[in-house]
């Protein structure tokens, strides 16, 4: 069989609007009804299966790869072992991706697509490491010499190699540690691969028991397996896995918007003409507006409501006349709590770091929410630092697991109360939360998520938009 494996890609902490339903179901501003990343992925890869032997194509859910090749060329996955797509990228991009070390004598500068073998794969290397390993390529244009590296995206494993991996999994039994689909497989490949990476845990979320030992077994199993690389010299790799990337590519990136035909308003009702924002599957009542560089998806804005510049509003019901500030992220989730269905609206600054963890509540001062210290935020909400709770079983506190957001009985009041808390911090004022208010974290909201409730809201929006179109 020819299998496409699109991995979940973690908790989506850098773009939390994709956390509950999954990155692969992220909306893209195309289509009627709206397309999702899954549709885009299948469209991009539509030509692959006819030039592919049996095996597994591994890809992630939050990137877009666009490439151009001649009519008589095809991307072929028909060689033994692993075959990876590679894209020319600046060295700075290489530090956060995988980088291929190629046999330099096999490269030509004029072809749009080349097949090459790879000597070694580097996982998130430093620029110094790229240079020392011979990964840096040079391209000359007139008197200008540009340095670049070939970075990874999608790769293919042939059926025979997949069988050996499955046999190893059977031998190992249940897994108690996380194996990286890129670093732990690809670093074992190529004639110059070395075992040192197996003990390097710098990029590991949390070091689990047995990790190094299992990595070493994978290394010995895959050692000597070919790593073929398809160099897509005329290609672009877009990552949309963070709030800033998401906003840029959907509202400002002229190149991507023209390449894919992204719309400013996709499958929405009564959105004004503002080509510098992006609105998807949303209903705007009269007098509503969204500022430049903002994205509004799966939301309902009542009359006179407005969204500032550079903000993300996702799955929200914004009440009459409410005004959302610039550069904030707000996302409503339907949750199950104490045998009842409730709603939580999480709110963060666009550039807040949800992954940053401190030792415990005593160190919360180091965390910043909307640019203010946690102590300042709690003071604005009439809360003591001692009462702040962190959810989950992991040690440490972060914006991801800090229980800051009220659980409300309906979506509108959930949004308006979280907005009131946000405004209090930005204005330096104080509010009193209703007595007995239960507070949840983003992490806890995900554990308690009620997907039926979230999808019901989307279905209602879909039906409303369809009805308004018919009657207009």
């Amino acid at each position: 069989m020819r299998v496409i494996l699109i991995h979940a890609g973690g908790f989506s902490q850098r773009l939390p609007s994709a956390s509950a339903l999954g990155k692969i179901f992220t909306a893209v501003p195309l289509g009627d009804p709206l397309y999702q990343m899954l549709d885009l992925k299948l469209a991009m890869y539509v030509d692959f299966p006819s030039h592919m032997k049996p095996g597994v194509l591994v890809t992630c859910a939050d990137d877009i790869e666009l490439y151009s090749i001649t009519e008589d060329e095809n991307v072929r996955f028909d060689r033994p072992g692993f075959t990876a797509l590679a894209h020319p990228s600046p060295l700075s991009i290489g530090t956060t991706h995988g980088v291929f070390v190629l046999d330099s004598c096999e490269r030509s500068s004029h072809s749009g697509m080349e097949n090459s073998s790879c000597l070694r794969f580097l996982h998130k290397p430093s620029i110094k490491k790229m240079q020392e390993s011979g990964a840096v390529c040079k391209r000359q244009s007139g008197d200008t010499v540009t340095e670049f590296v070939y970075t990874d995206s999608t790769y293919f494993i042939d059926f025979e190699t997949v069988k050996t991996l499955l046999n190893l999994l059977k031998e190992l039994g249940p897994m108690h540690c996380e194996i990286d689909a890129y670093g732990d497989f690809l670093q074992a490949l190529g004639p110059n691969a070395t075992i040192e990476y197996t003990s390097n845990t710098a990029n590991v979320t949390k070091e689990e028991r047995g990790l190094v030992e299992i990595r070493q077994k994978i290394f010995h199993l895959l050692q000597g397996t070919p790593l073929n690389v398809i160099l897509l010299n005329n290609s672009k790799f877009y990552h949309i896995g963070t709030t800033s990337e998401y906003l840029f590519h959907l509202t400002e990136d002229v190149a991507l918007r023209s390449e894919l035909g992204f719309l400013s308003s996709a499958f929405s009702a009564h959105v004004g003409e503002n080509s510098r924002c992006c609105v998807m599957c949303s209903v705007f009542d009269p007098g509503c507006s969204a500022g430049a560089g903002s994205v509004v998806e799966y939301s309902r804005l009542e009359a006179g409501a407005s969204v500032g510049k550079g903000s993300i509003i996702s799955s929200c019901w914004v009440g009459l006349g409410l005004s959302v500030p610039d550069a904030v992220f707000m996302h409503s989730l339907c949750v199950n709590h104490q045998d009842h269905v409730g709603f939580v609206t999480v709110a963060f600054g666009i550039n807040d770091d949800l992954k940053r963890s401190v030792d415990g509540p005593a160190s919360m001062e180091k965390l910043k929410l909307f640019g203010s210290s946690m102590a300042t935020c709690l003071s604005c909400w009439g809360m003591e630092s001692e009462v702040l709770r962190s959810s989950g079983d992991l040690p440490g506190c972060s914006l991801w697991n800090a229980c800051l957001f009220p659980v409300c009985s309906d979506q509108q009041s959930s949004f308006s109360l979280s907005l009131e808390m946000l405004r209090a911090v930005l204005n330096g004022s104080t509010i009193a939360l209703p007595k007995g208010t239960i507070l949840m974290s983003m992490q806890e909201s995900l554990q308690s998520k009620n997907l039926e409730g979230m999808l019901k809201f989307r279905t209602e929006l879909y039906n409303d938009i369809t009805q308004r179109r018919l009657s207009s």
Side-chain angles (χ1 to χ4, degrees):
M1 296 176 73
R2 290 152 187 83
V3 177
I4 184 168
L5 177 65
I6 308 174
H7 58 80
F11 295 117
S12 193
Q13 288 171 288
R14 295 182 298 169
L15 185 62
S17 48
S19 298
L21 286 150
K23 291 179 184 180
I24 197 59
F25 302 113
T26 301
V28 288
L30 282 171
D32 189 350
L34 207 55
Y35 291 174
Q36 296 173 325
M37 278 298 291
L38 179 59
D39 302 299
L40 206 51
K41 283 274 172 186
L42 295 176
M44 288 189 293
Y45 300 157
V46 69
D47 293 328
F48 288 179
S50 56
H51 305 286
M52 178 188 283
K53 60 195 266 188
V56 177
L57 186 78
V58 179
T59 186
C60 66
D62 59 5
D63 71 13
I64 298 169
E65 307 108 342
L66 303 180
Y67 64 92
S68 175
I69 54 177
T70 60
E71 286 292 319
D72 57 346
E73 287 181 311
N74 291 297
V75 175
R76 307 186 76 90
F77 298 99
D78 55 4
R79 285 174 289 173
F82 285 69
T83 302
L85 301 184
H87 311 270
S89 304
L91 272 61
S92 58
I93 296 291
T95 60
T96 56
H97 289 78
V99 173
F100 300 102
V101 181
L102 305 173
D103 188 345
S104 59
C105 64
E106 293 191 35
R107 262 173 268 152
S108 66
S109 58
H110 52 272
S111 175
M113 184 179 80
E114 301 170 70
N115 290 303
S116 176
S117 57
C118 181
L119 300 176
R120 188 180 177 194
F121 176 85
L122 308 173
H123 187 54
K124 299 183 179 178
S126 65
I127 289 176
K128 187 182 178 198
K129 178 82 169 173
M130 291 180 228
Q131 291 165 334
E132 289 172 350
S133 306
V136 179
C137 307
K138 291 183 171 66
R139 184 188 290 121
Q140 186 149 357
S141 177
D143 296 334
T144 309
V145 177
T146 307
E147 288 190 332
F148 67 97
V149 289
Y150 282 102
T151 54
D152 66 337
S153 62
T154 294
Y155 69 84
F156 171 80
I157 320 174
D158 77 323
F159 181 66
E160 292 305 317
T161 310
V162 170
K163 274 202 298 193
T164 64
L165 285 168
L166 284 173
N167 287 336
L168 176 64
L169 183 61
K170 280 179 192 161
E171 178 197 320
L172 293 171
M175 299 292 281
H176 297 289
C177 61
E178 189 175 294
I179 294 302
D180 187 294
Y182 299 88
D184 292 334
F185 290 163
L186 301 183
Q187 281 185 106
L189 308 173
N192 291 2
T194 61
I195 200 167
E196 278 81 14
Y197 76 87
T198 58
S199 54
N200 176 7
T201 55
N203 291 314
V204 176
T205 313
K206 63 168 183 167
E207 203 172 328
E208 292 135 319
R209 62 191 170 97
L211 177 63
V212 173
E213 184 190 348
I214 291 173
R215 279 179 168 180
Q216 288 174 349
K217 287 188 175 182
I218 293 170
F219 174 80
H220 291 302
L221 178 83
L222 293 177
Q223 199 176 14
T225 304
L227 176 53
N228 313 291
V229 182
I230 300 171
L231 310 179
L232 295 172
N233 291 319
N234 192 12
S235 68
K236 285 187 179 176
F237 174 92
Y238 296 97
H239 186 252
I240 54 167
T242 70
T243 51
S244 53
E245 289 170 338
Y246 178 76
L247 286 173
F248 174 70
H249 291 313
L250 266 59
T251 68
E252 290 181 57
D253 188 346
V254 177
L256 181 62
R257 281 169 68 94
S258 64
E259 285 157 1
L260 284 177
F262 278 177
L263 304 169
S264 296
S265 174
F267 196 71
S268 294
H270 304 309
V271 177
E273 291 301 312
N274 179 0
S275 61
R276 296 180 63 205
C277 67
C278 177
V279 181
M280 298 177 283
C281 196
S282 295
V283 173
F284 280 34
D285 282 348
C288 292
S289 65
S294 284
V295 174
V296 179
E297 62 154 11
Y298 297 112
S299 293
R300 184 183 294 280
L301 275 68
E302 292 186 357
S306 65
V307 176
K309 296 175 183 175
S311 290
I312 296 173
I313 302 298
S314 172
S315 302
C316 295
W317 190 321
V318 185
L320 207 66
L322 292 180
S323 176
V324 178
D326 297 346
V328 297
F329 170 92
M330 297 189 74
H331 173 56
S332 296
L333 298 101
C334 184
V335 296
N336 297 314
H337 181 68
Q338 296 176 347
D339 300 326
H340 292 94
V341 174
F343 291 87
V344 175
T345 299
V346 298
F348 303 103
I350 282 294
N351 297 312
D352 286 350
D353 184 355
L354 274 64
K355 283 188 165 188
R356 189 185 179 197
S357 184
V358 296
D359 292 338
S363 306
M364 284 297 267
E365 194 62 26
K366 296 173 187 168
L367 296 180
K368 293 279 191 286
L369 180 64
F370 315 123
S372 297
S373 72
M374 192 56 67
T376 302
C377 295
L378 295 174
S379 170
C380 290
W381 306 330
M383 291 167 59
E384 300 291 331
S385 297
E386 295 75 49
V387 303
L388 182 61
R389 187 171 63 86
S390 290
S391 63
D393 52 5
L394 288 176
C397 289
S398 64
L399 295 183
W400 181 255
N401 68 7
C403 297
L404 302 169
F405 307 107
V407 182
C408 298
S409 58
D410 64 273
Q411 202 166 353
Q412 297 99 304
S413 53
S414 162
F415 182 86
S416 58
L417 185 52
S418 290
L419 180 63
E420 201 180 336
M421 292 170 72
L422 159 61
R423 285 207 163 279
V425 174
L426 295 180
N427 299 335
S429 56
T430 56
I431 64 162
L433 294 175
K435 198 172 178 192
T437 298
I438 304 293
L439 299 174
M440 269 192 184
S441 66
M442 179 67 201
Q443 187 254 352
E444 202 170 29
S445 300
L446 280 181
Q447 286 185 326
S448 313
K449 67 184 177 184
N450 181 315
L451 287 180
E452 290 80 7
M454 294 185 75
L455 294 171
K456 179 171 176 272
F457 180 62
R458 291 190 175 193
T459 303
E460 288 166 357
L461 284 170
Y462 173 87
N463 292 337
D464 193 1
I465 292 164
T466 306
Q467 192 59 46
R468 289 184 190 221
R469 285 174 156 197
L470 289 172
S471 58
S472 63

